[in-house]
Each structure stands twice: as C-alpha cells, then as structure tokens.
Amino acid sequence: MMRGAVPTILQAIGNTPLVKLNRLAADVAADVYVKCEFLNPSGSTKDRMAPYLIDEAEARGELRPGGTIVEATSGNTGAGLAMVAAVRGYKCVFVMPDKMSSEKIATLRAFGAKVVVCPTAVEHDDPRSYLEVAKRLAAETPNAYYANQAHNPDNPGGHHQSTGPELWEQTGGEIDVLVAGLGTGGTLGGTGRYLRERKPGVQLVGVDPIGSLYYDFVKSGRVTSPFTYKVEGIGADFFPTTLDLRLLDEVVRVDDKECFLMARDLVRLEGLCVGGSSGAAVAGALKYARQTQKKENIVVLLPDGASHYLSKIFNDDWMRDNGFLEEHPGLGMVSDVLKGKTSDVIFARSIDRVRDVIGRMKAHGISQLPVLEGDKLLGAVAEVDMLRYLVSGEHSLDSPVGMLAESDYATVTANTKLELVQSLLSGARMAIVLGDDGRIVGVITKIDLIDYLARRAT
Ligand code: PMP
C-alpha cells in the first residue's frame, strides 16, 4: 500500500481539528475552543461510535456476514453505520422521525440504505414512533442487528475509546470544561467519562433544547411534559440509558432560534460550516461562560455540518416562515404575555400547609400554581391534585403541600414563541417560565394566552 494511504475510509475517522473561537467568544473570560467533529468522513461525530458498535456486535456474534443493520436515527448515526456497512458488506434499514432534514434522508439513501420515515409528533412508545417501528423492523428482518444507540453501552463506549483520548492528547490535559449537546448523551457521557478518569475536576456541561426532558429532570427531578422543537439530533422525550445524568455538572438550555442564529454566526463569523446542534452547543457554552466568568479552557463539540441543513437553517425563507428571523414575529413571545399580566407570580413553598395553599388559590382566583423549594422549582399543584388528596381522606389540611407536587407542566423561557406554548398547553396544564438562572419568572396558563390573544386582536 502506498505510504500515506489508509486501508479504508474507516481509518480516516477522527483527528479532527480543535479550533479557538475568536469573534463569538470575545466577551467571555474563558478561552473557548471548538472540536470540529463535523469533519469526520460521513459528516458527523457519530463516526466515532459506529465502527466500535459494529466491531462489538460482530465480536459478540450479534451481527453476522450479509446481515442487516437496523437503527432509529436522526440521520447521523445512520450515516456512520452506513459507511461501516459499505466497507464491510452489510445492508441497512434506518427509521427516522419526519422532522429531520431532507438532506439527511437523501444522504442515507445515497449510501444504499432503506429509509423509513415516521411521524415526530407522537409519544415515544406509540407504535408509529420511529423507535417502535425500528424495534419492530429489527424483529421482523432475518439476520438483523438492532444498533439501539439510545440503550447500547457501545455508543458511549465508542466515544470513551476514541473522542476522549484524542481530546485529552490534543488539549495537553489543559481542558477545564467540556460542553456538548445531549441526544443519546453518548458523546458527552463517553468522552466526559474518559476525561474525568484523567482529570477528575473536568466539568461536564450538557446543552438541552427547550421542549426536551433533560433540563427539568436534572434541575428538579421531574419528568415534565415534552414538546416538539425544530433543532435536530439533541434533546429527548424519554430517557436513554446511555446517559448517566449524575455525571453532569450543569445543563444549559437553548431555544431553536438561538441554535439556528448561532449556527449561522459560526459559519459567517468564524468560518465553521456547522449545523443546528453545533449552534446549540456553542450558544450553551457561551451562556455557561457568561455565568461563571472564569478564565478557563472550555471545549465545545461540534457534531455535524451546515450541508445537512441548507434547506432549513441556511434558507432564509424557511427561517422566516418559522419565525426565526426578526422580520416575522408571529404571535409573539412568552415575554409579551408576561408584560400584560399585572400580578406577580403566585406560588407556594413546599412547606406551606395544604390549607393555606387552598386559601391562596381562592384569594387569587387561580386553579394551579408552582411549588418552590428554596428558590428552585419543585413541581406544580392544581385543584384536581388537592381534590384527589382530600377525597382520599388519608391526609390532613395541615400537611406540607410539597408532597402533592406533580409534573404535568412544561417549562419555557421568556423567548419561547407563543405558537409553541399554544401547542404544549394542549398536553401540559401550564407553562412555567424560567430565567437563565433557573428561577421562576412567570406562569402562563390557557386563560393567560386566550386573554393575550384576545387583547391583541382588538
Ligand atoms: N447533534 C446531532 C446533529 C446529532 O445527530 C446527535 C446525535 N443524535 C447529537 C448532536 C447528539 O449526540 P449524542 O446522541 O451522542 O448525545
């Protein structure tokens, strides 16, 4: 073989550049570096785990010659697996939610894979969901291997073996903080676990889109109501077992608009040709850096490239139609509704007695309110919870209300668009508005939204 050549494309995975962020990080004390995982051969960081996953499956005898790899994917894991399959002679079937870009679907078909597209807006355990369809197809296809990235330890294992050591070497051990978006959590979990083994003080910061479950679960232990968002590849409406959330030091939240505008800025101001989840990771890292104001080395992982999203994030018509460019404000934002509300946020403390909370609800004419422990959100109580509690007859009016707190709310920020709030209120009882520091800044119920829209229409 010629000197300088590699035997297959699989040996060209990794060794991605670590680049200093310049213009976009000018206002933070930390030095922010980005790792260009989008430069991997099939176009994403998933190339780190795909060959490892297949090696392990072959070694265990779960994937046999001529077999079919089946996977539920937002596109990138599929591309990584399809690349390995091409080299090793496997067939592929991929199942994707319909919110994913047409570029990613077309890429998988270009690799020769069969692609099945399923509805996004169904529960994760609905038989029509991409996860359930993938599971079923894997069971029905002879000689199939279900890669199951959300529950397969080889997913974080691949990053532990590849991304972690490379980053440790590249930073000379001077990394203080690792920031990555959370999808299956394989990237942050696997890479982070390796870095911690070398340097226990490394901080691991996850970035989560609004609508996903991770942020609220880490902050309050609650499984709140998930809702759909546009950024691809990150966030979850169920808990993958690939991520041990206890590993995380912090979770930062971002909304679609921040992700997409940051992705566009990364291309235009830094020459980094990246997609929406990279925008999310950098937006999250900069929020974190502004909060900590520490002189330290932050490394952000950039999972995939702009070419996957030319018809969306980099298409002004799509951005405008979806309200992500300023010229099209749509119905407005959560902050607009809050401006029109006259009273302060009415809440209960977890130690308040049930009797007093009922009194407060009556006095203010409200039927539900958030419950705080210290200044942290613990949950929410509604009339129906009180009713159930009192009817059961087992409890006293003098019990602390904290034990009644429930999870059927969603959390949003002041910048969340009202179109999203409207759709999430069809499932959740209320939207609790949190500031960047996690404190409650407001509550929006259906009647608040109706009131705002009615006033706006007159
Ligand atoms: N960004 C993109 C574009 C992705 O496809 C994924 C994987 N779903 C991620 C980020 C998150 O990676 P992980 O699943 O390892 O958390």
Side-chain angles (χ1 to χ4, degrees):
M1 200 170 68
M2 252 191 332
R3 201 163 63 85
V6 285
T8 75
I9 189 68
L10 305 184
Q11 285 74 37
I13 293 170
N15 286 319
T16 55
L18 183 64
V19 179
K20 186 156 187 299
L21 210 56
N22 296 296
R23 296 162 76 177
L24 289 172
D27 68 323
V28 299
D31 285 325
V32 182
Y33 299 86
V34 292
K35 187 152 173 64
C36 301
E37 288 295 286
F38 61 99
L39 295 177
N40 275 302
S42 91
S44 90
T45 191
K46 293 293 184 176
D47 287 4
R48 303 286 188 163
M49 54 79 121
Y52 183 79
L53 207 95
I54 297 304
D55 285 345
E56 296 296 303
E58 285 173 348
R60 288 191 300 265
E62 290 170 14
L63 179 59
R64 290 178 295 280
T68 301
I69 300 165
V70 180
E71 180 57 323
T73 174
S74 69
N76 287 326
T77 297
L81 289 170
M83 179 176 67
V84 182
V87 172
R88 307 236 176 123
Y90 297 115
K91 297 186 277 296
C92 290
V93 176
F94 297 125
V95 190
M96 299 175 75
D98 59 6
K99 81 169 201 183
M100 302 308 168
S101 76
S102 55
E103 290 90 331
K104 287 201 279 194
I105 298 173
T107 302
L108 295 181
R109 292 195 170 127
F111 270 112
K114 183 168 173 212
V115 181
V116 179
V117 179
C118 296
T120 305
V122 293
E123 306 261 323
H124 69 92
D125 51 2
D126 185 293
R128 294 164 298 171
S129 89
Y130 78 120
L131 295 161
E132 289 300 313
V133 171
K135 222 186 285 176
R136 180 169 60 73
L137 289 177
E140 288 171 0
T141 308
N143 199 10
Y145 171 65
Y146 181 33
N148 199 10
Q149 58 173 327
H151 300 290
N152 187 338
D154 297 336
N155 165 11
H159 289 283
H160 183 266
Q161 187 232 27
S162 170
T163 326
E166 184 179 308
L167 191 51
W168 179 251
E169 196 59 37
Q170 211 169 23
T171 57
E174 291 181 45
I175 177 172
D176 300 306
V177 183
L178 176 68
V179 183
L182 298 172
T184 63
T187 308
L188 187 60
T191 313
R193 192 160 52 79
Y194 180 88
L195 295 175
R196 280 266 175 80
E197 285 159 13
R198 305 302 300 259
K199 184 173 176 179
V202 170
Q203 299 288 296
L204 303 181
V205 178
V207 179
D208 193 38
I210 290 180
S212 158
L213 293 179
Y214 289 127
Y215 178 88
D216 285 329
F217 189 73
V218 170
K219 295 287 177 183
S220 68
R222 296 250 161 224
V223 182
T224 51
S225 303
F227 52 95
T228 53
Y229 44 85
K230 299 257 187 249
V231 64
E232 299 178 32
I234 54 173
D237 60 356
F238 66 101
F239 292 101
T241 51
T242 36
L243 178 61
D244 179 356
L245 288 165
R246 290 168 303 187
L247 271 178
L248 303 182
D249 296 290
E250 182 59 287
V251 182
V252 183
R253 223 150 63 135
V254 288
D255 62 40
D256 281 336
K257 188 172 174 178
E258 285 175 286
C259 299
F260 298 156
L261 294 183
M262 184 59 81
R264 288 161 67 111
D265 280 351
L266 282 162
V267 184
R268 291 166 193 194
L269 300 176
E270 303 277 346
L272 294 157
C273 214
V274 295
S277 72
S278 299
V282 172
L286 293 178
K287 272 190 194 177
Y288 175 84
R290 286 189 194 108
Q291 260 166 35
T292 56
Q293 286 299 344
K294 260 168 100 177
K295 175 91 184 125
E296 57 187 351
N297 290 326
I298 299 180
V299 174
V300 191
L301 301 178
L302 305 183
D304 76 350
S307 62
H308 293 169
Y309 309 99
L310 296 179
S311 64
K312 293 177 143 185
I313 305 168
F314 300 96
N315 173 345
D316 287 356
D317 290 336
W318 184 87
M319 287 289 283
R320 213 174 284 117
D321 288 349
N322 284 283
F324 298 132
L325 295 180
E326 295 305 337
E327 308 99 84
H328 178 73
L331 292 180
M333 296 188 304
V334 162
S335 55
D336 298 320
V337 178
L338 293 184
K339 262 182 242 150
K341 285 186 65 164
T342 45
S343 61
D344 290 337
V345 185
I346 299 151
F347 59 85
R349 302 235 168 248
S350 58
I351 49 168
D352 289 349
R353 291 179 311 164
V354 169
R355 179 195 310 280
D356 299 332
V357 175
I358 294 172
R360 197 167 312 155
M361 282 181 167
K362 266 174 61 185
H364 292 279
I366 55 176
S367 57
Q368 55 214 339
L369 45 71
V371 181
L372 305 195
E373 191 147 73
D375 54 15
K376 272 183 54 186
L377 180 62
L378 174 77
V381 279
E383 278 167 341
V384 283
D385 306 320
M386 304 274 185
L387 192 60
R388 201 179 318 116
Y389 175 81
L390 294 174
V391 166
S392 76
E394 293 162 18
H395 309 288
S396 120
L397 281 167
D398 292 319
S399 308
V401 77
M403 55 189 286
L404 269 71
E406 293 281 350
S407 309
D408 50 1
Y409 56 90
T411 66
V412 298
T413 69
N415 294 326
T416 305
K417 291 190 306 163
L418 292 180
E419 286 84 350
L420 263 186
V421 176
Q422 179 259 325
S423 74
L424 75 87
L425 283 178
S426 62
R429 276 210 211 120
M430 64 176 149
I432 299 180
V433 191
L434 301 179
D436 274 348
D437 57 3
R439 284 170 195 259
I440 299 191
V441 295
V443 167
I444 296 184
T445 58
K446 291 187 187 90
I447 195 65
D448 295 323
L449 198 54
I450 290 168
D451 188 36
Y452 166 84
L453 294 173
R455 270 188 288 124
R456 195 169 170 272
T458 53

